[in-house]
Amino acid sequence: MTKFSGRLKQRLSAIAAVAVAATLAGSVPAHAEGSRTSYIKSWKADNESNRWHDSQKDRSSTKVQFKGCHSDRASGFSAPLTLYRVKSLATDPGYGKKSNTCNISNWGQTKTAGDFYFKYHSTGYVVSVKTVKISW
């Protein structure tokens, strides 16, 4: 093998490696548009989370994850939550109630851009959560 063909082979290998790396970089799975971490302290009936804006630039689901949960309910932790989209001059549309038992509540893709929040629908119990992660 000549010196020239060896260099050409190295150069072609380098080009191929760059092409593979560029292809892999473009195929990284999509991540949520946004997320926020907070906590809940002594929530009672009808307490609401802070609002967040979802531009719907992706196809990510809206999820609320609870970790480190406590309730004054004797039978264990259960927090009924409803996701809402803020609608000016009208009733905020809801996306359904989920019972969070210190896990993840997933409302799927909401499909409409806007400001969102979730609401705790207590049945007389007080709840606290050390870590609340909201992703959209």
Side-chain angles (χ1 to χ4, degrees):
M1 177 161 44
T2 67
K3 195 174 189 181
F4 177 73
S5 65
R7 282 191 205 153
L8 180 61
K9 191 172 185 177
Q10 286 178 335
R11 183 167 280 175
L12 289 174
S13 293
I15 291 170
V18 168
V20 168
T23 301
L24 291 175
S27 65
V28 173
H31 294 286
E33 180 179 320
S35 66
R36 171 185 299 161
T37 303
S38 187
Y39 65 94
I40 290 173
K41 185 174 181 180
S42 301
W43 267 21
K44 298 176 184 168
D46 298 327
N47 275 127
E48 298 177 359
S49 71
N50 290 330
R51 271 96 167 125
W52 66 89
H53 186 78
D54 188 345
S55 299
Q56 293 300 326
K57 293 182 179 179
D58 59 12
R59 294 186 179 175
S60 293
S61 296
T62 299
K63 300 175 186 176
V64 174
Q65 181 179 19
F66 285 177
K67 290 183 180 179
C69 307
H70 176 74
S71 171
D72 62 355
R73 183 178 179 205
S75 61
F77 185 89
S78 181
L81 307 175
T82 300
L83 177 70
Y84 291 96
R85 181 174 47 85
V86 177
K87 191 165 184 180
S88 297
L89 305 175
T91 303
D92 293 346
Y95 287 82
K97 190 181 285 188
K98 307 285 183 187
S99 181
N100 191 306
T101 55
C102 206
N103 57 9
I104 298 175
S105 297
N106 184 346
W107 282 273
Q109 184 185 1
T110 56
K111 298 183 182 178
T112 304
D115 293 328
F116 291 84
Y117 64 96
F118 65 89
K119 188 175 192 177
Y120 170 56
H121 300 284
S122 169
T123 53
Y125 301 104
V126 177
V127 297
S128 295
V129 182
K130 285 185 181 181
T131 305
V132 177
K133 183 174 182 184
I134 306 165
S135 57
W136 61 92

